[in-house]
Amino acid sequence: MTSRYSDEWTASLLNPERLLCGLTPEDLMQEAGLLPEMTVVDYGCGPGLLTLLTAKTVGPTGKVYALDIHQGMVSLVESRAAEAGLTNVTALLNDGPKAPLPDCEADLILCTLVFHYRESTNERQALATDLARLLKPCGRAMLVQWYDRAPFEETHDLLTSAGLRCGPPSPVVERQYRVMATKPCDP
């Protein structure tokens, strides 16, 4: 693994205390509207802080796709899910502009700290378009992002131009916000 994916860095991503403002991962999932039997995409899952909690919540009749650009994170999520006895998690390498999933697959997408890794506006627009493609009609996406690396106004514009309805930002930690985006129910 590269230094970015060191054991120490990965462990820090699995620490739920990194979500401040009194939020827990469970709070975020409740706010996102996570329910049993949903199909969820954890887009940019990292080591799976939200993946395993999501899989437990959607239950055995739900499904969670954990996507990441780094094979080490995909393997780690697979291992952690197996250790937890979760058979409803599918971890996939997502190293292209389009996730390896069919259109309209997800009831809910979690996209945490991903937009700022896309270097150009075109790459960020492609990500927003892919999120919209993956959502079922009436589906929702919860994005968490850095204010200074992916300003809300830009994120709002990208999501809106991809055809999603974007709500207002809410703080996560001092420098991060979360936002809900919804795919219209009518085509």
Side-chain angles (χ1 to χ4, degrees), residues 82-154:
E83 286 174 19
L86 297 168
T87 59
N88 59 347
V89 175
T90 302
L92 300 167
L93 184 65
N94 183 30
D95 59 357
K98 189 174 174 181
L101 294 171
D103 295 356
C104 301
E105 183 70 15
D107 297 297
L108 176 66
I109 296 175
L110 308 171
C111 187
T112 305
L113 303 177
V114 174
F115 264 69
H116 69 278
Y117 285 115
R118 305 296 170 109
E119 294 182 18
S120 72
T121 302
N122 287 342
E123 290 172 322
R124 290 187 292 277
Q125 186 62 65
L127 172 57
T129 300
D130 200 33
L131 297 177
R133 177 188 71 81
L134 291 171
L135 284 173
K136 295 176 182 177
C138 302
R140 296 165 42 111
M142 175 181 271
L143 288 84
V144 176
Q145 205 42 263
W146 297 98
Y147 279 111
D148 59 343
R149 296 185 192 169
F152 171 71
E153 295 77 16
E154 177 188 358

Side-chain angles (χ1 to χ4, degrees), residues 49-105:
L49 173 67
L50 300 177
T51 305
L52 279 85
L53 170 64
T54 299
K56 291 173 186 173
T57 303
V58 299
T61 57
K63 189 160 192 81
V64 178
Y65 293 101
L67 309 177
D68 204 89
I69 62 170
H70 192 272
Q71 184 59 51
M73 295 294 107
V74 171
S75 297
L76 180 58
V77 169
E78 286 174 336
S79 172
R80 293 184 65 229
E83 286 174 19
L86 297 168
T87 59
N88 59 347
V89 175
T90 302
L92 300 167
L93 184 65
N94 183 30
D95 59 357
K98 189 174 174 181
L101 294 171
D103 295 356
C104 301
E105 183 70 15

Side-chain angles (χ1 to χ4, degrees), residues 24-42:
T24 65
E26 293 82 4
D27 293 335
L28 283 176
M29 297 303 88
Q30 183 176 5
E31 181 180 313
L34 184 65
L35 297 170
E37 301 183 5
M38 280 185 154
T39 297
V40 179
V41 174
D42 190 353

